[in-house]
Amino acid sequence: MKEKEENGVYSAPALDKGLDILEVLSKCENGLTQQEIAAQLGRKLGEIYRMLNCLVQRNYVANYGNVYTITSKLFQLSHFHPPTYRLLTEALPIMEGLSRAVSFPCDLRVYNNGFQTVIASIQPPNGLGFMTRVGSEIEVAPSASGMVLLAFQDQIIKNIRIQESLPNSSETEIEAYSNSLKDVVSKGFASIKSKQFAGLHAISFPILDMNGNAVAAMTVPMLARIDGTNQFTQEQVEEILRECVSNLSQKIAITNINANN
């Protein structure tokens, strides 16, 4: 069946329905019935029945007694993408060593259409600290990692990302945020107190490609202990994280060169 072209773009209703189902299920941890999916999408049961069956057969969706949940297949596919796979392959051993050395968690985040997605997260051996779940989507603007992912970009890309990340902000707010990114570039990293959680201090460095653009941000969230246990200082963590990220950036650059040869 030929799809109708509107405004120079071909529509694909069946694909739209499938993507709508995946998106609504991705936002629900406990799953949804067919009736609930249809209600949330504003569609009839007959419109989604065949599409749901197809998604189940292809293992994008699982069916547990008429309760449908999204599987990990999309997450797995995203890691088959060569740049992400190479990044994780090189990053995970470094992150494990970092977390073990400083006794704080650390995570790796990438930019994703106005948000940042956590693609790796490491807990220290003692299992204590502020940790973000892999797959989490986090707002860009309030965080150290978000500042890093925006600051270290070509100017055109930087401007686009700022607009995407601050969609409801005034020109004054956007200008103030843009100015704060200049300080991040000058320092080479972001080290700020959390604007969302009391007592949390986040340090984030960019993982740079051969052009000096941030492909990811490695972040250590520090929580001060009040029981007298000795901890690394903020300055010590910054230096160790700087060295780890420098090593990772070099490995990523070398890997990319070899992949292109």
Side-chain angles (χ1 to χ4, degrees), residues 10 87 92 94 99 189:
Y10 284 98
L87 175 61
L92 287 173
I94 292 175
S99 185
F189 66 101

Side-chain angles (χ1 to χ4, degrees), residues 162-163 166-178:
I162 290 173
Q163 293 294 330
L166 303 170
N168 301 314
S169 300
S170 67
E171 289 299 322
T172 301
E173 291 171 325
I174 290 175
E175 183 178 359
Y177 187 76
S178 298

Side-chain angles (χ1 to χ4, degrees), residues 104-117:
F104 289 112
C106 66
D107 62 59
L108 196 66
R109 307 179 187 187
V110 296
Y111 183 83
N112 184 18
N113 296 322
F115 291 88
Q116 47 183 329
T117 302

